């Protein structure tokens, strides 16, 4: 008689395969299609409209609509049109709509404002090749915009030092808030007086204009001013500074004709505050918390709260992950249940409802939130359509770094069809966000799942300088870019390996833009990582300063120091100075048309690696800019990264073309 065999735990019943080579249905094509970029949303009549990138159509941004309770999506702005602003080079606020269905949008190709009437085709509204537009907002029957002088005066599709120099010589205002006549396209200036302006808001009666402004060398998360002016006919009166100057004010909104709400980080966290248009009444905080309602204003369309009827507010709060709260008129706070916990923005409000965009573990999109009913219903986006067994058990991780605690999120290798070999620890890919004032929110999106489903863990690090943890945390990077960020990602990776969860010999690091800088600096100055992937990363900060566009023209003054005084610091921080420290393979991915970090940066690193015999590969994507948008690019980049890791770490990548390292 044969003894019955005991049941094995489900995980041990799975086939044992080398980490990195697990079979996965989550292809690069799936990852590309599952993570579209959302570009704003609005209530238009009884419909919901939103902007969304279309990777299959060259990455253009279209505008789409559906009835609030319908599942059918209709195209408002079809190909070849693309609603994409280049103001500050990062754009934002590239479209706005009226209740009667008129669509105003910034056309990518000429950076002018166009008008599309219901049932019609787009027609140019502004015809001003010396300027470009962004931050569109329809308020109190007025089309507001941020207008920026284009680089060189005539090329509306690019920006740079030449345009800034021309403005300095002529004395002309580089940026202004304007009101655009929707019949003639003429723009009248409402607000100037600072180097940068953003986030205009008209009072409900159209009598008062509020906005934020700031001057070089500050960035909008350093110091801004909240300004208010009375609008009188075709112009605005001299502005009054309501708040700011020594802190970062964001997103003014009107609660009523005389009451202004805004975000202020005077307590160390961005929280809502309230001010009166009447003189002599000081601002007061609304529901203060040790969490951020606000973030880095890279895009002109970003909003972190909205004012509902009855004076209530729907607000995002961030302390690593995001959550949504309802703030009553008397300051009481209650949570709002929402599946999304990453990258939350309050895109639009109307009455007791709001449109909130964000990312959840199994989907991304837009939710219709009803504050009265306490409900949230997804109206844009679909579930990823995968079995829950593919979703990793993401967990926060905090380790000690040289300047304090370092926050991170761990996404372990996870599969319902395979497990790792006994005694083998998994490789990990350490993700470094850009900015450097960006952040990771701990949501395992499709591009994380692409790796974890194959047996490669992902560690997202919010190094010192990240937002979402208050002002003191993000200011750790002041003057220390290339030092604190490098030490923190190394500490997080080493700390994870010390727990036994990761193979210390198979730690790779990946980042884009400012994250690419940290990748290169970490490879040059530490021995923690066995491979590195840089997407359009900064290699030479001095060259970046020389080529910087207006918005970031003085950003490195804060991150490293002003030139020429800090010339030696720039030289010392540059990965090119420490090219002898590179002794592991490197993958460089770059867009040919990147106006922020031009290809010359990646190519200087490539040439230095070649001269020193360091194994590397360089892929240049024609027609791509700062951040990849085309489906074929996204797919190729992900597959190339996987093939690169397989070659370096010694696992098979079936069906993925190999990478040639030179």
């Amino acid at each position: 008689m044969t003894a019955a065999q005991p049941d094995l735990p489900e995980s041990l019943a799975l086939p044992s395969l080398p980490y990195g080579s697990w079979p996965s249905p989550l292809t690069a094509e799936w990852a590309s299609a599952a993570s579209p970029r959302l570009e704003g949303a609005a209530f238009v009549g009884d419909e919901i409209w939103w902007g969304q990138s279309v990777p299959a159509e060259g990455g253009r941004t279209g505008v789409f609509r559906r009835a609030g309770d319908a599942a059918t999506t209709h195209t408002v702005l079809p190909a070849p049109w693309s609603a994409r602003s280049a103001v500050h080079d990062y754009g934002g606020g590239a479209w706005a709509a009226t209740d009667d269905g008129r669509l105003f949008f910034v056309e990518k190709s000429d950076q002018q404002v166009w008008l599309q009437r219901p049932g019609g085709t787009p027609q140019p509204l502004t015809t001003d090749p010396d300027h470009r537009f962004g931050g569109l907002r329809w308020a109190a029957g007025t089309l507001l915009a941020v207008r920026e002088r284009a680089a060189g005066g005539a090329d509306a599709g690019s920006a740079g030092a030449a345009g800034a120099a021309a403005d300095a010589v002529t004395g002309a205002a580089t940026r202004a808030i304007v009101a655009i006549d929707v019949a003639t396209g003429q723009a009248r200036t409402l607000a100037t007086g600072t180097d940068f302006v953003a986030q205009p808001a008209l009072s409900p009666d159209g009598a008062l204009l509020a906005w934020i402004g700031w001057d070089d060398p500050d960035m909008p998360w350093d110091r801004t001013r909240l300004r208010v002016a009375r609008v009188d006919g075709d112009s605005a009166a001299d502005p009054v500074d309501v708040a700011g100057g020594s802190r970062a004010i964001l997103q003014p909104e009107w609660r009523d004709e005389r009451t202004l709400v805004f975000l202020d980080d005077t307590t160390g966290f961005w929280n809502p505050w309230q001010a009166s248009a009447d003189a002599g009444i000081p601002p007061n905080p609304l529901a203060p918390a040790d969490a951020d309602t606000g973030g880095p204003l890279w895009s002109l369309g970003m909003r972190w709260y909205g004012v509902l009827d009855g004076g209530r507010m729907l607000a995002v709060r961030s302390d690593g992950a995001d959550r949504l709260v309802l703030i009553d008129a008397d300051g009481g706070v209650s949570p709002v249940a929402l599946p999304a916990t990453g990258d939350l923005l309050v895109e639009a409000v109307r009455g007791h409802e709001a449109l909130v965009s964000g990312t959840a573990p199994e989907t991304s999109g837009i939710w219709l939130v009803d504050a009265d009913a306490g409900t949230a219903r997804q109206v844009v986006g679909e579930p990823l359509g995968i079995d829950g067994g593919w979703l990793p058990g993401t967990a926060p991780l905090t380790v000690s770094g040289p300047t304090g605690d370092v926050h991170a999120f761990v996404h372990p290798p996870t599969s319902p069809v395979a497990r790792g070999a006994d005694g083998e620890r998994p490789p990990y890919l350490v993700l470094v966000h850009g900015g450097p004032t960006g952040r990771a929110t701990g949501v395992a999106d499709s591009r994380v799942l692409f790796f974890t489903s194959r047996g490669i863990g992902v560690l997202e690090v919010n190094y010192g300088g990240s937002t979402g943890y208050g002002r003191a945390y993000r200011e750790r990077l002041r003057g220390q870019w290339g030092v604190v960020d490098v030490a923190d990602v190394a500490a997080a990776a080493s700390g994870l390996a010390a727990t036994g969860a990761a193979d210390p010999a198979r730690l790779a690091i990946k980042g884009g833009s400012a994250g690419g800088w940290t990748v290169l600096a970490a490879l040059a100055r530490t021995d923690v990582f066995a491979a590195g992937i840089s997407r359009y990363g900064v290699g030479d900060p001095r060259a970046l300063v020389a080529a910087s566009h207006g918005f970031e023209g003085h950003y490195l003054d804060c991150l490293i120091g002003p030139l020429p005084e800090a010339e030696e610091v720039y030289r010392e921080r540059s990965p090119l100075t420490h090219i002898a420290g590179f002794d592991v393979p490197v993958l460089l991915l770059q867009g040919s048309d990147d106006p922020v970090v031009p290809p010359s940066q990646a190519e200087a690193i490539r040439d230095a690696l070649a001269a020193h015999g360091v194994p590397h590969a360089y892929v240049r994507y024609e027609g791509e800019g700062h951040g990849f948008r085309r489906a074929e690019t996204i797919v190729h980049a992900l597959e190339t990264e996987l093939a690169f890791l397989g070659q370096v770490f010694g696992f098979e990548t079936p069906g993925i073309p190999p990478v040639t390292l030179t």
Side-chain angles (χ1 to χ4, degrees):
M1 183 174 179
T2 304
Q5 297 297 313
D7 292 333
L8 292 173
E10 184 177 351
S11 61
L12 294 181
L14 299 175
S16 173
L17 297 172
Y19 286 109
S21 64
W22 296 354
S24 172
L26 310 184
T27 64
E29 289 83 1
W30 169 85
S32 171
S35 300
R37 294 175 182 235
L38 297 174
E39 304 282 354
F43 292 103
V44 180
D46 61 354
E47 295 180 328
I48 292 168
W49 290 22
W50 71 96
Q52 180 176 317
S53 66
V54 189
E57 296 178 4
R60 79 173 187 95
T61 300
V63 179
F64 304 88
R65 65 180 175 88
R66 65 170 53 168
D69 57 354
T72 303
T73 295
H74 302 277
T75 300
V76 179
L77 184 66
W81 311 102
S82 182
R84 188 174 173 193
S85 169
V87 171
H88 297 172
D89 271 341
Y90 296 98
W95 66 276
T98 63
D99 267 345
D100 62 6
R102 286 173 292 167
L103 172 68
F104 303 97
F105 69 96
V106 178
E107 163 55 30
K108 177 187 175 183
S109 62
D110 64 5
Q111 289 301 296
Q112 297 299 294
V113 179
W114 290 60
L115 166 62
Q116 178 177 284
R117 299 181 185 277
T121 58
Q123 301 295 322
L125 182 60
T126 62
T127 54
D128 182 2
D130 289 341
H131 293 91
R132 56 192 186 181
F133 298 85
L136 303 186
R137 191 170 194 186
W138 181 258
T142 302
L143 180 61
L144 301 173
V146 175
R147 184 183 66 191
E148 179 178 65
R149 181 176 295 273
D155 179 8
S158 62
D167 292 327
V169 172
T170 63
T174 304
R175 296 164 193 88
I177 291 171
V178 299
I180 299 174
D181 189 312
V182 299
T184 67
Q186 295 299 308
R188 55 189 172 96
T189 300
L190 297 181
T192 58
T194 53
D195 292 337
F196 299 90
V197 292
Q199 296 185 315
L202 269 177
S203 59
D205 59 6
L208 295 171
L209 175 70
W211 71 97
I212 65 167
W214 68 96
D215 295 311
D216 283 329
D218 290 324
M219 300 299 286
W221 45 87
D222 294 327
R223 281 176 289 274
T224 64
R225 286 185 275 170
L226 172 59
R227 318 196 85 188
V228 176
R230 181 167 294 279
V231 178
D232 185 12
D234 291 338
S235 61
D238 290 339
V240 174
D241 286 354
V242 174
S246 61
R247 52 195 189 273
I249 308 297
L250 292 171
Q251 196 190 337
E253 305 284 357
W254 292 94
R255 214 168 193 175
D256 55 43
E257 282 80 359
R258 306 296 299 174
T259 307
L260 185 64
V261 180
F262 57 94
L263 303 175
D264 189 340
D265 68 347
T266 189
T267 64
F269 293 88
W270 275 305
N271 284 175
W273 285 61
Q274 179 173 287
S276 172
D278 299 319
I281 302 177
N284 61 283
L286 300 172
D290 288 343
D292 276 330
T293 297
L297 190 65
W298 287 103
S299 168
L300 290 172
M302 302 179 78
R303 291 184 174 87
W304 296 273
Y305 74 95
V307 179
L308 303 170
D309 58 7
R312 298 174 298 171
M313 295 169 54
L314 195 69
V316 179
R317 282 185 173 175
S318 304
D319 50 4
D322 292 341
R323 62 188 187 277
L324 198 63
V325 299
L326 181 66
I327 303 174
D328 295 332
D330 60 3
V333 178
S334 56
V336 177
L338 193 71
T341 57
D343 305 313
L344 296 188
L345 292 174
V346 180
E347 303 282 5
V349 294
R350 184 174 63 184
H352 60 276
E353 294 181 318
L355 296 174
V356 179
S357 63
T359 305
E362 296 186 63
T363 186
S364 63
I366 297 171
W367 283 261
L368 175 63
V369 177
D370 187 323
D372 287 351
T375 60
R377 176 170 59 89
Q378 189 169 6
V379 292
V380 176
E382 303 293 339
L384 295 181
I386 61 174
D387 184 271
W390 295 102
L391 299 177
T394 300
L397 173 71
T398 300
V399 302
S400 295
T403 59
D405 286 347
V406 180
H407 302 293
F409 293 99
V410 182
H411 308 284
T414 304
S415 170
V417 300
R419 65 181 180 89
D422 293 338
E424 181 187 7
R425 287 192 282 179
Y428 259 79
L429 181 61
V430 178
L431 296 187
V432 188
H433 63 69
T437 47
R439 67 188 175 104
T441 58
V443 175
D445 62 17
S446 61
R447 297 177 202 186
V448 169
L449 297 177
F450 177 77
F451 291 102
T452 58
S453 66
R454 289 169 168 78
I456 302 169
V458 173
L459 175 68
E460 295 185 289
V461 182
N462 283 325
Y463 50 86
S466 304
T467 47
Y469 299 93
R471 186 177 186 108
Y473 195 84
R474 73 176 185 267
E475 288 195 337
R476 287 185 187 178
L477 209 58
R478 291 185 71 89
Q480 297 298 310
W481 194 38
V483 178
V484 166
D485 50 325
V486 171
D488 284 358
V489 297
S494 298
L496 178 66
T499 68
D503 184 346
R506 293 192 294 173
L507 298 174
I509 184 170
K510 168 187 168 181
S513 190
W517 152 274
T518 304
V519 167
L520 297 171
L523 295 178
R525 303 171 73 101
T526 78
D527 59 1
V528 173
F529 303 102
I533 301 170
S534 171
R535 290 188 173 202
Y536 36 89
V538 177
D540 182 355
R542 290 171 297 180
L544 183 65
V545 170
S548 280
H549 54 298
F551 179 64
E552 291 182 289
H554 292 272
Y555 191 17
L556 268 64
D557 288 13
C558 165
L559 293 174
I560 298 178
L563 289 171
E565 297 87 343
E567 176 72 27
E568 179 57 27
V569 180
Y570 278 74
R571 190 200 68 79
E572 171 60 24
R573 297 275 178 85
S574 172
L576 286 169
T577 301
H578 302 279
I579 203 69
F582 285 82
D583 57 5
V584 299
V586 182
L587 174 63
L588 304 169
L589 305 176
Q590 177 69 44
S592 67
D593 298 345
D594 192 332
V596 180
V597 182
S600 57
Q601 290 269 343
E603 289 162 5
I605 292 290
R606 175 202 62 190
D607 294 344
L609 294 174
H612 285 75
V614 179
H616 67 280
Y618 173 61
V619 182
R620 174 171 164 143
Y621 296 106
E622 296 302 319
E624 288 284 9
H626 197 67
F628 302 150
R629 289 176 175 261
R630 298 177 177 175
E632 60 270 25
T633 303
I634 297 169
V635 169
H636 185 270
L638 280 173
E639 290 185 343
T640 300
E641 291 168 350
L642 179 62
F644 171 74
L645 294 176
Q647 183 166 340
V648 174
F649 291 154
F651 55 77
E652 299 292 330
T653 56
I656 305 296
V659 172
T660 300
L661 298 180
T662 58

